[in-house]
């Protein structure tokens, strides 16, 4: 793997088809600057070509912060043109994260604010440490979320709750986020990564074509009417049904053994 300044990739669990990306600017609360966003783009492009990757975990360095959004110190004094140029890079990074072919799990180890919360909303599954607080405070800064916050939050929780959250710009703790349905689970901070890894390994043991097909069917189907969505599902279904892995899945079931997936 390439060595980046603000991104760490842990390949320790690659034999179990799991890779971990760590946002690595702890001195700046893992805030997102232009360099980190650019490196995240390059990293995701490199990882999506890994033949042994089935699940990607995204977390932050340290215990204090997952990501507190854009680095406002870097943005101080930016012209409108420079702001737009930077935001274009942010949009590309978040788009690659959302459209990563395999499941992406956020292991939220600390504050997730602004673009940091939008980052976790861009992941397929979200688990947090019990001390985490999250929020979309853009309204208090004279802007609004710009990489998915106003779109993905109302798709995750009731619209009224999402609007209140966005209008107030306040923070909520992990338990309230769990109760609202924003996240999938809460773990003690010392168990967050271990517990997330266990879930990731379980998912990674399933058929790779099925994982990709489920993600495509859900993400594309949610954007359309139910009849079109069912057609999308069937298209993905037959990609799996006509695969070598489907034959292997049935054979391994009948032979009472672990399947040997080939992704074909």
């Amino acid at each position: 793997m390439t060595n980046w300044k603000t991104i760490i990739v842990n390949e320790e669990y690659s034999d179990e088809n799991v890779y971990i990306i760590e946002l690595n600017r702890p001195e700046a609360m893992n805030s997102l600057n232009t360099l980190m966003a650019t490196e995240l783009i390059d990293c995701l492009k490199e990882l999506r070509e890994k033949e042994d990757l089935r699940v990607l975990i995204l977390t932050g360095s340290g215990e204090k912060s997952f990501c507190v959004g854009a680095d406002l110190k870097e943005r101080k004094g930016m012209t409108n043109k420079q702001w737009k140029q930077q935001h274009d890079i942010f949009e590309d990074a978040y788009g690659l994260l959302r459209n990563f072919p395999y499941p992406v799990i956020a292991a939220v180890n600390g504050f997730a604010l602004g673009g940091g919360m939008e980052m976790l909303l861009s992941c397929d599954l979200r688990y947090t440490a019990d001390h985490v607080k999250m929020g979309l405070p853009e309204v208090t800064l004279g802007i609004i979320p710009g990489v998915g916050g106003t779109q993905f939050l109302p798709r995750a929780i009731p619209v009224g709750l999402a609007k209140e959250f966005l209008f107030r710009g306040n923070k909520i703790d992990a338990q309230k986020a769990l109760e609202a349905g924003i996240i999938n689970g809460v773990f003690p901070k010392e168990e967050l990564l271990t517990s997330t890894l266990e879930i990731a390994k379980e998912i990674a043991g399933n058929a790779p074509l099925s994982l990709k097909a489920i993600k495509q069917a859900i993400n594309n189907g949610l954007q359309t009417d139910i009849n079109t969505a069912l057609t999308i599902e069937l298209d993905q279904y037959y990609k799996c049904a006509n695969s070598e892995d489907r034959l292997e899945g049935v054979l391994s079931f009948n032979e009472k053994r672990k399947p040997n997936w080939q992704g074909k």
Side-chain angles (χ1 to χ4, degrees):
M1 290 293 298
T2 306
N3 291 319
W4 292 282
K5 292 181 179 179
T6 64
I7 300 289
I8 296 173
V9 177
N10 186 338
E11 301 178 69
E12 180 180 353
Y13 307 96
S14 61
D15 59 335
E16 298 182 81
N17 308 116
V18 177
Y19 283 71
I20 302 171
I21 291 180
E22 186 176 315
L23 306 176
N24 189 37
R25 294 188 72 218
E27 74 287 351
M29 302 281 282
N30 295 323
S31 58
L32 188 68
N33 63 4
T34 305
L35 177 61
M36 180 186 279
T38 302
E39 291 187 340
L40 183 58
I41 289 170
D42 294 339
C43 178
L44 290 169
K45 285 181 177 178
E46 191 169 324
L47 285 173
R48 68 185 294 140
E49 301 303 320
K50 289 280 187 182
E51 293 185 0
D52 60 346
L53 190 152
R54 297 292 179 266
V55 178
L56 181 63
I57 294 174
L58 178 65
T59 192
S61 295
E63 296 180 349
K64 192 172 184 179
S65 177
F66 171 69
C67 175
V68 293
D71 187 338
L72 296 183
K73 290 183 179 178
E74 184 183 50
R75 281 186 160 180
K76 184 180 180 181
M78 275 188 178
T79 65
N80 288 346
K81 182 178 180 181
Q82 290 169 331
W83 190 294
K84 173 67 164 58
Q85 289 171 338
Q86 185 196 56
H87 202 271
D88 287 345
I89 297 171
F90 287 3
E91 290 173 48
D92 289 344
Y94 282 68
L96 283 168
L97 187 61
R98 290 193 300 270
N99 295 311
F100 198 80
Y102 288 104
V104 180
I105 304 176
V108 184
N109 57 300
F111 282 111
L113 304 176
M117 182 166 180
E118 289 176 290
M119 195 174 287
L120 73 88
L121 289 170
S122 296
C123 297
D124 300 297
L125 301 177
R126 307 141 196 162
Y127 299 96
T128 77
D130 51 12
H131 70 291
V132 163
K133 290 187 178 181
M134 62 185 68
L136 293 166
E138 283 85 350
V139 70
T140 69
L141 299 171
I143 54 175
I144 70 169
V147 279
T150 66
Q151 300 306 306
F152 293 111
L153 188 61
R155 285 169 167 79
I157 63 177
V159 172
L161 288 179
K163 285 181 176 179
E164 180 186 17
F165 197 62
L166 288 157
F167 290 156
R168 295 179 66 185
N170 60 328
K171 301 182 188 73
I172 62 171
D173 61 27
Q175 189 58 43
K176 287 186 178 179
L178 179 63
E179 292 168 1
I182 298 172
I183 59 175
N184 296 81
V186 179
F187 300 109
K189 63 181 181 180
E190 63 274 8
E191 299 175 13
L192 172 64
L193 192 55
T194 301
S195 298
T196 303
L197 267 166
E198 289 305 310
I199 295 167
K201 291 174 185 178
E202 179 184 350
I203 294 170
N206 292 320
L209 290 181
S210 297
L211 294 175
K212 293 171 71 174
I214 288 169
K215 184 165 180 174
Q216 286 293 313
I218 293 173
N219 288 358
N220 294 333
L222 281 175
Q223 311 309 315
T224 187
D225 64 275
I226 186 63
N227 290 323
T228 304
L230 288 169
T231 300
I232 291 170
E233 180 185 72
L234 276 177
D235 178 60
Q236 295 297 330
Y237 170 82
Y238 281 110
K239 286 181 181 179
C240 296
N242 295 328
S243 71
E244 294 179 21
D245 275 357
R246 188 267 297 172
L247 298 175
E248 168 62 11
V250 174
L251 186 62
S252 64
F253 175 84
N254 283 284
E255 293 180 353
K256 295 181 174 57
R257 60 173 174 81
K258 185 179 180 179
N260 180 25
W261 307 120
Q262 299 298 314
K264 300 178 183 179

